[in-house]
Amino acid sequence: RRIFICRFDLALYKVHSIMPKCVHNACGKDYEEQENTPLSCQFHPGTPIFHEGMKGWSCCSKKFTDFGEFLAYPGCAFGKHTDERDPDAVDPNEALKELSSAPITRQSEEDKRRQAQSRDGTPKVELATTVSKSLERALERLAQKEQEELAAQEVQIGQTCTRNACQGTYQGPESNSEPCVHHPGAPVFHEGYKYWSCCPKKKTYDFDVFLEMTGCETGEHRWFKPKEDMTKAQQCRYDWFQSESQIVITVFAKCIDPARTSVKANSDSLTIDTAFNQTSKFTMELHLGGPIDPAGSTVQLLGTKMEIRLVKASADPWDNLEASA
């Protein structure tokens, strides 16, 4: 039978048991006072910052999403270890606990509605718009191509006119000279009433009576629908940057139609409504990230994009293009 004898060094135990622990941020090491020099401790002299999911130190520009990486990031300053905590110092673990337990204030729907009303209270004005030569040339080529396509289409006997409320049918070349009586507006159905937007005073509940309403305008028959009547909503890519005096928004879209484009703004909101490539439509409403001067703001339509230059009301930088809810 073997007997093991364990030696217990009481002196070594005493030394380790009384070693102080550094309380500096990002350090936390045990140290011996006789070996404590101005370069012994690497720590963060700043305070912890938690903002929009990011974590960092006020003394450093580095930011983290992971709390463990944040705590393990080496300090940016050197000094002597200390076990005396600064009464004004902030412990990152305690700060995170306090932040997590803080009540979250959420806007009610009434508050959101009231805020939206105050935002949009100022009437929007149309921004001054210019059309570049490159876009004019592109639109001319597009219109010529459409005319060639229409000329190549052959009207069939019995084909009906595509204009609203016109009852004309193609019986031969002589039909082209017949008057086309139609409604240039769009159909409207509201609270049971049915009418044409071009004739708002002529309303009816009966759908058959609505269909038989005689047109209010006379013109030429249109045997084929133009591409503009087949427009569909489509998303456009857009980007933005800022200078001290301007916010520049670029919407990427080819062959923008100036006649069907509207860009309006007030001091804090922007509305974009545009048609491009004949059959595409893009709309966007922005609650801006800062105040602007609509009177000095401009729009330029180019061959492949729209450039909106908003004059900032102050030189303060914007955090985002859109205001936070």
Side-chain angles (χ1 to χ4, degrees):
R1 185 172 60 178
R2 296 180 181 180
I3 299 175
F4 294 94
I5 300 175
C6 296
R7 180 173 172 270
F8 182 74
D9 195 328
L10 182 61
L12 185 63
Y13 169 76
K14 287 183 178 180
V15 169
H16 283 283
S17 64
I18 60 175
M19 285 182 67
K21 188 180 185 70
C22 182
V23 296
H24 277 156
N25 290 325
C27 182
K29 295 179 180 179
D30 295 327
Y31 66 94
E32 295 184 17
E33 192 58 50
Q34 60 269 28
E35 297 178 2
N36 192 12
T37 71
L39 296 177
S40 296
C41 179
Q42 185 176 0
F43 66 102
H44 288 293
T47 57
I49 296 175
F50 305 106
H51 179 65
E52 294 183 352
M54 303 301 291
K55 305 157 188 70
W57 297 96
S58 62
C59 50
C60 299
S61 59
K62 182 76 172 177
K63 297 293 182 290
F64 304 89
T65 55
D66 183 79
F67 190 69
E69 292 180 2
F70 158 70
L71 290 178
Y73 187 58
C76 60
F78 289 89
K80 298 181 76 172
H81 292 297
T82 181
D83 60 351
E84 295 181 7
R85 187 174 293 279
D86 184 345
D88 297 325
V90 179
D91 182 85
N93 289 286
E94 293 301 320
L96 183 64
K97 288 179 182 178
E98 183 178 346
L99 185 68
S100 302
S101 61
I104 300 175
T105 303
R106 301 186 185 278
Q107 278 188 315
S108 66
E109 291 302 318
E110 178 64 22
D111 290 338
K112 291 180 180 179
R113 184 184 64 79
R114 192 179 297 112
Q115 185 179 35
Q117 284 179 343
S118 64
R119 268 191 191 137
D120 301 332
T122 307
K124 295 185 179 71
V125 296
E126 194 80 30
L127 301 189
T129 302
T130 58
V131 181
S132 68
K133 294 294 184 182
S134 61
L135 178 58
E136 289 179 349
R137 290 193 294 269
L139 291 173
E140 288 174 3
R141 290 193 297 268
L142 199 63
Q144 184 178 355
K145 181 180 179 182
E146 185 179 15
Q147 290 298 324
E148 292 173 355
E149 290 175 352
L150 288 173
Q153 292 177 320
E154 185 177 347
V155 187
Q156 303 297 318
I157 299 296
Q159 189 166 326
T160 59
C161 178
T162 61
R163 293 190 186 275
N164 293 325
C166 180
Q167 305 298 323
T169 59
Y170 185 77
Q171 301 300 329
E174 66 278 4
S175 298
N176 292 326
S177 59
E178 294 175 353
C180 173
V181 182
H182 62 279
H183 287 291
V188 178
F189 305 102
H190 180 65
E191 295 182 351
Y193 282 109
K194 302 163 186 67
Y195 59 97
W196 296 96
S197 61
C198 50
C199 302
K201 293 183 179 180
K202 295 181 180 179
K203 299 180 180 179
T204 180
Y205 285 108
D206 191 289
F207 190 70
D208 292 331
V209 174
F210 163 73
L211 292 177
E212 293 173 1
M213 284 183 179
T214 304
C216 60
E217 188 173 294
T218 301
E220 295 180 352
H221 287 301
R222 191 176 64 189
W223 308 115
F224 298 97
K225 274 192 173 185
K227 290 184 177 179
E228 287 81 356
D229 287 2
M230 298 181 283
T231 302
K232 293 183 179 179
Q234 186 172 329
Q235 289 298 313
C236 287
R237 182 171 65 89
Y238 67 93
D239 202 354
W240 76 287
F241 68 91
Q242 65 180 309
S243 65
E244 190 173 280
S245 60
Q246 290 185 334
I247 297 292
V248 181
I249 304 171
T250 303
V251 179
F252 297 94
K254 294 181 179 180
C255 295
I256 295 174
D257 186 351
R260 296 192 292 156
T261 295
S262 172
V263 181
K264 296 181 179 181
N266 57 19
S267 61
D268 53 19
S269 298
L270 177 74
T271 301
I272 303 171
D273 190 351
T274 185
F276 61 99
N277 272 345
Q278 291 187 313
T279 58
S280 299
K281 185 176 180 65
F282 172 70
T283 58
M284 182 167 66
E285 176 78 21
L286 293 176
H287 291 146
L288 299 170
I292 65 165
D293 175 18
S297 301
T298 60
V299 180
Q300 186 176 22
L301 304 182
L302 305 166
T304 58
K305 61 185 179 180
M306 173 195 302
E307 196 170 85
I308 305 169
R309 293 183 175 272
L310 305 176
V311 176
K312 296 164 71 173
S314 69
D316 297 333
W318 291 15
D319 294 331
N320 296 291
L321 176 60
E322 294 187 74
S324 59

